[in-house]
Amino acid sequence: MAGHRRRPPAPRSQAARQPLLPAGLRARRPPAPERRAAPRSLLQPRGRLRHRPARPPRPYWILRTETTTCSQKMAGRKVLIIYAHQEPKSLNGSLKDAAVEELGKQGCSVTVSDLYAMQFEPRATRNDIVGCLHNSEEFNYGVEAREAYKRGDLSDDLIEEQKKVQEADLLIFQFPLYWFSMPAIMKGWMDRVLVEGFAHEFPDCYGSGLLK
């Protein structure tokens, strides 16, 4: 008939949705996953547990032991810090202050050569030699500084720094990197203070130094 709507088919039952199998066979469910028992050591410890005193983790424990040993070795030592930075509030200034404080706690006597505050002269010139030159016809700074050191004719600022180095058991150089190297004032300190005859001998200046 016109306008008659056809009813939707009724849903099939659960039995009707099962696949058709030959007579005598039944549909089987998939086996459940096997459950393994937890190891015995996790459920029940064997024997009685002994109480162990708590201690810091091993890396910190090693560091603490090494620090204590280092403090005992550094007690009474003299330390010279060669410091080259213009700003006391800088990172290098803070590292220098931290070193002075920590070394003081360990019983060290700390001396600081603040090169900028001292207005240290970095240029190696004829003024470093007091008195007559070894060779007045041709000036060679290395030779003249060596001979002046033997005679005791170096300038006063160099003699003072060399005394600090001789009295020190440990030298610390604190400086920033300028073009992958040290500042000019630090390089000038090394050129003028660590002269031949005082810090090294030429040509045996690499494997055997005089500051030991």
Side-chain angles (χ1 to χ4, degrees):
M1 295 177 61
H4 177 71
R5 295 183 179 180
R6 188 174 181 180
R7 295 181 179 179
R12 295 187 302 172
S13 62
Q14 183 69 18
R17 289 200 297 267
Q18 294 290 342
L20 298 178
L21 299 175
L25 296 180
R26 296 180 181 180
R28 297 181 178 180
R29 295 181 179 180
E34 182 181 359
R35 297 182 179 180
R36 297 182 179 181
R40 178 182 177 85
S41 59
L42 297 180
L43 299 178
Q44 184 177 2
R46 297 179 180 179
R48 299 180 61 184
L49 294 178
R50 297 180 179 180
H51 175 70
R52 297 180 179 179
R55 71 179 185 183
R58 187 168 180 79
Y60 174 77
W61 176 65
I62 295 176
L63 179 62
R64 184 177 179 183
T65 304
E66 293 178 352
T67 304
T68 305
T69 306
C70 181
S71 301
Q72 296 173 353
K73 292 182 179 180
M74 291 300 297
R77 299 294 183 90
K78 294 183 178 181
V79 181
L80 173 61
I81 300 178
I82 313 300
Y83 169 67
H85 201 282
Q86 307 89 335
E87 177 53 54
K89 298 180 182 179
S90 63
L91 173 62
N92 282 267
S94 300
L95 293 175
K96 182 260 298 179
D97 294 339
V100 172
E101 181 181 358
E102 181 59 31
L103 291 171
K105 292 180 180 179
Q106 297 183 16
C108 298
S109 176
V110 184
T111 303
V112 179
S113 287
D114 190 342
L115 301 184
Y116 283 101
M118 296 162 50
Q119 296 183 356
F120 185 83
E121 173 60 64
R123 297 173 298 176
T125 64
R126 165 69 175 80
N127 297 329
D128 294 345
I129 289 85
V130 179
C132 300
L133 296 177
H134 178 71
N135 185 356
S136 58
E137 296 181 359
E138 183 180 357
F139 181 76
N140 185 317
Y141 184 84
V143 175
E144 296 296 340
R146 178 192 64 197
E147 297 300 325
Y149 171 74
K150 293 179 180 179
R151 301 190 309 264
D153 290 341
L154 289 174
S155 58
D156 294 339
D157 58 339
L158 300 185
I159 294 177
E160 182 179 356
E161 292 300 307
Q162 288 176 352
K163 288 182 179 179
K164 295 178 184 178
V165 174
Q166 288 177 333
E167 295 175 355
D169 300 307
L170 173 65
L171 265 67
I172 299 176
F173 295 92
Q174 183 65 55
F175 58 89
L177 288 179
Y178 288 173
W179 288 98
F180 310 103
S181 182
M182 63 188 69
I185 196 170
M186 177 69 78
K187 181 61 166 59
W189 185 93
M190 293 186 175
D191 292 341
R192 298 181 63 218
V193 176
L194 305 179
V195 298
E196 182 181 354
F198 169 72
H200 62 88
E201 289 286 354
F202 188 82
D204 300 330
C205 54
Y206 299 101
S208 57
L210 301 179
L211 302 177
K212 293 183 180 180

